[in-house]
Amino acid sequence: MDTIGVGVIGAGTWGDAHARIFSSHPGTRLVAVCDVVAERARGIAEKYGAPKTYADFRELLRDPEIQAVGIATPDFLHKDPFVAACRSGKSILIEKPLATTYEDLMAMKQAYASAKVRVMVDFHARWNPPLTVAFEDITQGKIGDLVSFYYRLNNPVWVPTKMLSWSRNSSILWFLG
């Protein structure tokens, strides 16, 4: 089986998750981690065995060993690496929400439309074990007919106020999207 060389752009909580998964999946090979804070990129690269680090996503996108990227920057910073990755011909897994402004979304849509790349927004709930088990149980009729459904996603107040220093630049989309 051929492996896909992958780079991770953004070395925060979700960048760490991307790096962990790309380094352990048999179809991918973690080539590089990029973050504007070079020490963070180095730490995650060392943790998961990536041989390269970058502080500028444009340099990472020029790396010929990388065919795909995981974009895990803060949501309001998705546009520039996404557009550049499209122009570089890299396939993309991008964290949600795709964009936080209409202008960014339209620029991203235009870049995608003119590129021949694969793109997927990482909606975590699609792969969340309790939700996938519930879905299977419902579709297989194990719990009877579905009459009503209620799903709630909560973040404690410390997530936007303490954990995510960039949350003031975000929107409610990060927390509920």
Side-chain angles (χ1 to χ4, degrees):
M1 171 200 269
D2 291 335
T3 59
I4 297 168
V6 183
V8 173
I9 301 172
T13 301
W14 286 109
D16 185 280
H18 282 228
R20 178 177 48 81
I21 292 164
F22 293 143
S23 70
S24 63
H25 191 279
T28 58
R29 179 175 43 87
L30 182 63
V31 174
V33 178
C34 175
D35 197 275
V36 293
V37 179
E39 303 81 49
R40 243 189 345 226
R42 276 194 298 277
I44 290 179
E46 289 173 11
K47 184 176 179 181
Y48 298 111
K52 302 176 188 178
T53 61
Y54 296 95
D56 185 330
F57 66 83
R58 291 173 272 297
E59 291 178 35
L60 177 142
L61 293 171
R62 286 192 287 270
D63 189 325
E65 288 187 66
I66 296 174
Q67 292 86 45
V69 294
I71 298 176
T73 59
D75 56 14
F76 66 95
L77 296 174
H78 283 175
K79 181 191 73 150
D80 290 343
F82 180 90
V83 169
C86 285
R87 290 180 181 155
S88 298
K90 310 294 185 188
S91 294
I92 303 164
L93 172 65
I94 186 168
E95 283 302 318
K96 66 166 182 62
L98 184 58
T100 57
T101 69
Y102 179 78
E103 294 76 21
D104 284 359
L105 183 62
M106 290 300 102
M108 294 164 84
K109 179 182 177 186
Q110 183 177 12
Y112 170 75
S114 62
K116 302 247 189 290
V117 298
R118 292 181 179 177
V119 174
M120 179 179 164
V121 178
D122 189 11
F123 292 107
H124 311 121
R126 289 183 183 166
W127 324 115
N128 187 332
L131 298 177
T132 58
V133 168
F135 178 76
E136 288 172 13
D137 288 350
I138 291 166
T139 57
Q140 294 172 6
K142 290 183 181 177
I143 62 172
D145 293 332
L146 186 61
V147 176
S148 177
F149 182 82
Y150 176 79
Y151 173 73
R152 182 174 174 168
L153 175 64
N154 292 320
N155 268 322
V157 73
W158 66 265
V159 171
T161 59
K162 304 278 191 253
M163 179 181 161
L164 302 176
S165 61
W166 51 264
S167 67
R168 69 185 163 278
N169 297 317
S170 184
S171 73
I172 195 167
L173 290 174
W174 192 92
F175 303 97
L176 299 178

